[in-house]
Amino acid sequence: MEKRNIEKRNTIGLQTVIVSRILMGIVGRIVIVARIVINLMRLLDIVPCHRMKSRSITIKGYTLPLCARCTGIVLGYFFFPFLLIAGLYFSLWLGLLLNVPMVIDGWTQKRKYRISNNILRATTGIMSGFGQSIIIVSGSDYIIASLLGG
């Protein structure tokens, strides 16, 4: 009978150790994710944006830290790795052309010729970010080709 109690206590002790290690691993991962999120938020602090709440996108009561236009530009930058890795080549002129709608939207809004809205700001921002990605990849390809004599 005593042997069974010792085995039972050992099993409970082993289960406690396993559960505590699992919980420590989960907590450790949560801390790592929290650090990543904090670092990304700090990275967003360097973006030169006015951060006006009226011009920012709100999702389920949470207002994004950047205005709609800057959020769109950042989303457009996510095309950069795909262009680079997939080796997709677009003309430098297309990259420049994709920036024109954002410039027109911002300029006409600033001059009070019309009133813009967050959907238009985000859309022109995404186009601009994609265009800037094209400019970076095309420009890099041109510089590398020039340096390698190709």
Side-chain angles (χ1 to χ4, degrees):
M1 188 75 162
E2 191 175 312
K3 185 176 180 185
R4 282 180 126 182
N5 287 338
I6 292 172
E7 287 177 7
K8 189 174 181 182
R9 275 188 257 144
N10 287 343
T11 304
I12 292 172
L14 182 62
Q15 290 172 347
T16 305
V17 169
I18 291 171
V19 169
S20 66
R21 287 193 179 173
I22 290 172
L23 288 175
M24 286 178 11
I26 292 171
V27 168
R29 286 189 175 90
I30 291 172
V31 168
I32 290 170
V33 169
R35 285 182 185 162
I36 290 170
V37 169
I38 289 169
N39 287 335
L40 286 174
M41 294 301 283
R42 285 183 187 152
L43 183 63
L44 288 178
D45 286 343
I46 66 171
V47 175
C49 175
H50 56 68
R51 291 175 167 79
M52 291 173 58
K53 284 195 174 220
S54 63
R55 293 186 183 172
S56 297
I57 299 170
T58 301
I59 302 171
K60 293 186 178 183
Y62 176 76
T63 303
L64 297 179
L66 299 176
C67 73
R69 189 170 289 130
C70 291
T71 299
I73 292 170
V74 170
L75 289 174
Y77 289 158
F78 286 125
F79 289 107
F80 176 77
F82 298 110
L83 293 172
L84 198 61
I85 293 169
L88 298 174
Y89 179 78
F90 294 100
S91 169
L92 183 68
W93 290 107
L94 177 62
L96 293 171
L97 186 66
L98 284 172
N99 281 277
V100 171
M102 186 195 71
V103 172
I104 292 172
D105 179 42
W107 186 77
T108 56
Q109 178 184 334
K110 182 175 176 76
R111 291 291 189 176
K112 300 191 188 318
Y113 293 144
R114 60 182 195 75
I115 297 172
S116 189
N117 59 51
N118 284 346
I119 294 172
L120 183 59
R121 289 182 191 114
T123 303
T124 58
I126 290 171
M127 291 170 60
S128 177
F130 180 56
Q132 291 175 42
S133 296
I134 290 173
I135 291 168
I136 293 168
V137 170
S138 298
S140 300
D141 286 346
Y142 175 76
I143 290 170
I144 290 170
S146 296
L147 290 175
L148 296 177

